[in-house]
């Protein structure tokens, strides 16, 4: 790999680290404000909606400006949103602004990698990128839980710094430093040599171009299958963070800070699976990993029968490994086909639009199930559950786990059957 690739990795690591730490800090802030439980789903929904709304402009911007500059500006937007939250802005609105920066950052990041590397390096590069991102998710999850936990609050109470900063302000300070480091690394990335395209501000023009790119990718045989799978994966994966959080509180009777560690276990598994895919799966054989998606859906349902932390950690690790192993090769296929069909920036924007539309739908369904199907808390519930669910009720975890597990299994089966029919048609 070229030296510039590792700078992209480092910038992505610090930016994703800050994003995830801020997510859990915002979760803790909402809980401390006794916000309705479905607001936790809306926190992620608000972050994601920008990927859908600005998709036509995100790809065009990435192809019209030097991609390292776009990444640096986007980290500046995230930093500004982080500071707003520290100044008392609503966590929902502030984290939605972080999502705006992330939505514009993504096409520039993936486009820079796609333009810089040969097609044969894309699976390995995606393995490294996903592993770096997942490592950032792990540390960000732990850091966010730690900064929002009792230890930091107690430390501040007995420290001179506590006279100037409360817990959330201290968290914001640390996370702001991480965004600043990411922006500094972006500035050090060499300007790409790829020819820039003009940026047209007309909404009608951008939507027309995006519409054309959208259907070009969906009509491509390889593009449509890989797009369908990555859309399913990111929708289910984002929802699973929220599902596992409530499941750990209810099934395992652990607090929020400990539950974030189990989410970090899933991230460890994704990193392992991504590295295995980068090592053993080549681009021409990427579609052979699809059965791993079926197994992942089955293991989600198996969480219903787990009530021990060690068993839970092992099962979540396996879910993560399967997730990383099957999504990384298909992501590489999608990037390769997208660059061939329309250019890196526009193809990543189309990919982000579809994947984040999947996240919006699945997280939205989760929020609706939480809001309308939650059950009253039993009078003899523990003090921990009284704190978490007394005001708004207990989420219907059996229904949620079975529904999302079956959704993954049924959708993956349909995609695999469609891919098999495509293969038979080509052989004829």
């Amino acid at each position: 790999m070229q030296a510039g690739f590792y700078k992209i990795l480092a910038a992505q690591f610090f930016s994703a680290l800050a994003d995830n730490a801020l997510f859990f800090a915002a979760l803790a802030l909402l809980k401390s404000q006794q916000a309705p439980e479905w607001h936790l789903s809306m926190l992620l929904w608000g972050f994601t909606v920008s990927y859908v709304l600005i998709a036509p402009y995100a790809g065009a911007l990435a192809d019209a400006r030097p991609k390292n500059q776009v990444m640096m500006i986007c980290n500046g937007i995230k930093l500004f949103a982080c500071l707003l939250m520290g100044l008392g802005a609503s966590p929902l609105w502030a984290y939605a602004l972080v999502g705006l920066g992330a939505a514009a950052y993504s096409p520039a990041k993936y486009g820079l990698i796609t333009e810089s590397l040969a097609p044969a390096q894309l699976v390995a590069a995606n393995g490294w990128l996903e592993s770096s991102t997942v490592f950032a998710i792990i540390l960000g999850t732990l850091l966010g839980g730690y900064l929002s936990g009792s230890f930091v609050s107690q430390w501040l109470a007995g420290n001179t710094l506590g006279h100037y900063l409360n817990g959330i302000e201290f968290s914001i300070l640390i996370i702001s430093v991480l965004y600043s480091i990411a922006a500094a690394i972006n500035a050090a990335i060499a300007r790409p040599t790829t020819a820039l395209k003009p940026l047209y501000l007309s909404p009608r023009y951008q939507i027309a171009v995006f519409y054309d790119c959208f259907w070009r990718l969906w009509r491509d045989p390889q593009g449509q299958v890989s797009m369908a799978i990555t859309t399913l994966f990111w929708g289910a994966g984002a929802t699973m963070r929220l599902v596992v959080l409530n499941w750990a509180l209810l099934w395992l009777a652990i607090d929020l800070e400990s539950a974030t560690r189990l989410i970090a276990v899933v991230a460890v598994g994704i990193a392992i699976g991504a590295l295995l895919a980068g090592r053993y799966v080549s681009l021409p054989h990427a579609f052979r990993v699809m059965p791993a998606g079926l197994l992942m859906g089955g293991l989600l349902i198996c969480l219903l029968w787990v009530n021990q932390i060690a068993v839970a950690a092992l099962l979540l690790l396996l879910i993560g490994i399967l997730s990383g192993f099957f999504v990384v090769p298909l992501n590489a296929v999608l990037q390769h086909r997208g660059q061939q069909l329309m250019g890196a920036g526009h193809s990543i924007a189309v990919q982000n639009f579809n994947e984040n539309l999947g996240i919006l739908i699945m997280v939205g369904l989760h929020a609706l199930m939480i809001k309308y199907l939650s059950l009253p808390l039993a009078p003899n519930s523990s003090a921990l559950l009284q704190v978490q669910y007394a005001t708004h009720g207990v989420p219907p975890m059996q229904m949620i786990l079975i529904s999302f597990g079956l959704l993954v299994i049924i959708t993956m089966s349909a995609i695999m059957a469609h891919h098999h029919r495509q293969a038979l048609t080509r052989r004829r």
Side-chain angles (χ1 to χ4, degrees):
M1 299 290 182
Q2 302 171 6
F5 173 73
Y6 297 105
K7 291 180 181 178
I8 299 171
L9 275 185
Q12 165 64 11
F13 171 79
F14 282 103
S15 187
L17 176 62
D19 288 350
N20 285 275
L22 188 60
F23 174 74
F24 285 98
L27 275 180
L29 184 57
L30 286 173
K31 283 190 172 291
S32 71
Q33 296 171 347
Q34 296 185 325
E37 197 67 28
W38 62 275
H39 274 201
L40 306 189
S41 297
M42 294 309 295
L43 183 69
L44 186 56
W45 198 92
F47 176 88
T48 306
V49 73
S50 292
Y51 282 88
V52 175
L53 294 180
I54 71 163
Y57 278 99
L61 178 64
D63 285 337
R65 300 295 305 159
K67 292 180 173 58
N68 62 322
Q69 290 183 13
V70 174
M71 293 161 70
M72 184 173 63
I73 292 169
C74 291
N75 270 310
I77 294 172
K78 294 180 182 182
L79 174 60
F80 177 68
C82 180
L83 294 173
L84 283 180
M85 193 184 299
L87 293 172
S90 163
L92 294 177
W93 288 108
Y95 203 62
L97 185 56
V98 173
L100 180 67
Y105 185 95
S106 184
K109 171 188 67 179
Y110 282 108
L112 192 56
I113 288 174
T114 307
E115 291 173 354
S116 304
L117 301 175
Q121 295 177 297
L122 280 180
V123 174
N126 270 273
W128 278 106
L129 188 63
E130 293 303 327
S131 299
S132 171
T133 302
V134 167
F135 186 42
I137 292 171
I138 296 167
L139 287 183
T141 300
L142 296 175
L143 180 62
Y146 180 76
L147 290 173
S148 307
S150 57
F151 179 82
V152 170
S153 297
Q154 292 171 4
W155 178 77
L156 284 171
N159 192 287
T160 307
L161 194 60
H163 296 301
Y164 305 99
L165 299 172
N166 59 31
I168 185 61
E169 290 168 346
F170 180 75
S171 301
I172 294 300
L173 176 63
I174 299 298
I175 296 168
S176 297
V177 170
L178 296 176
Y179 279 131
S180 300
I181 293 172
I185 297 172
N186 291 145
I189 297 172
R191 177 172 174 157
T193 57
T194 307
L196 301 177
K197 299 178 180 179
L199 176 63
Y200 298 99
L201 297 179
S202 166
R204 180 180 295 181
Y205 175 84
Q206 291 297 349
I207 290 172
V209 171
F210 183 81
Y211 180 83
D212 177 65
C213 293
F214 177 90
W215 285 113
R216 228 185 297 173
L217 202 52
W218 271 111
R219 289 186 184 117
D220 181 72
Q222 291 186 347
Q224 65 183 219
V225 173
S226 53
M227 180 78 81
I229 292 174
T230 57
T231 299
L232 173 67
F233 169 82
W234 289 113
T239 309
M240 194 171 71
R241 282 209 296 181
L242 300 168
V243 171
V244 169
L245 200 64
N246 279 323
W247 168 79
L249 293 169
L250 290 166
W251 254 245
L252 306 179
I254 59 178
D255 59 20
L256 181 64
E257 189 174 350
S258 301
T260 59
R261 297 192 187 107
L262 281 179
I263 297 175
V265 169
V266 180
V268 171
I270 293 174
I272 295 170
L275 289 174
L276 290 173
R279 174 68 178 84
Y280 294 108
V281 181
S282 62
L283 199 64
H285 300 140
F287 291 104
R288 293 181 182 179
V289 302
M290 288 193 291
L294 289 175
L295 189 53
M296 187 186 81
L299 290 180
L300 274 174
I301 298 175
C302 289
L303 290 174
L304 287 170
W305 292 277
V306 175
N307 53 21
Q308 296 179 357
I309 293 178
V311 178
L314 178 60
L315 192 60
L316 291 171
L317 181 69
L318 288 174
I319 290 173
I321 290 172
L322 290 169
S323 301
F325 187 75
F326 99 96
V327 78
V328 165
L330 297 170
N331 202 41
V333 170
L334 196 52
Q335 290 173 17
H336 177 56
R337 292 300 299 156
Q339 185 189 29
Q340 290 182 323
L341 292 169
M342 67 200 68
H346 280 88
S347 72
I348 300 299
V350 171
Q351 182 180 347
N352 284 340
F353 176 86
N354 284 276
E355 292 173 357
N356 287 280
L357 188 60
I359 293 174
L360 290 179
I361 291 170
M362 296 185 73
V363 170
L365 288 173
H366 180 261
L368 290 174
M369 294 173 80
I370 294 286
K371 185 174 182 179
Y372 293 108
L373 301 177
S374 291
L375 304 172
L377 189 64
N380 61 345
S381 298
S382 67
L384 174 66
L385 295 187
Q386 290 286 348
V387 171
Q388 299 292 340
Y389 302 112
T391 308
H392 307 290
V394 179
M397 293 311 301
Q398 290 94 337
M399 183 184 299
I400 289 173
L401 285 168
I402 292 171
S403 298
F404 280 101
L406 286 178
L407 179 63
V408 171
I409 292 171
I410 293 170
T411 308
M412 275 302 305
S413 299
I415 295 170
M416 290 172 66
H418 176 69
H419 178 67
H420 182 65
R421 287 193 297 270
Q422 281 186 336
L424 289 177
T425 302
R426 286 195 296 270
R427 286 171 192 163
R428 291 172 188 163

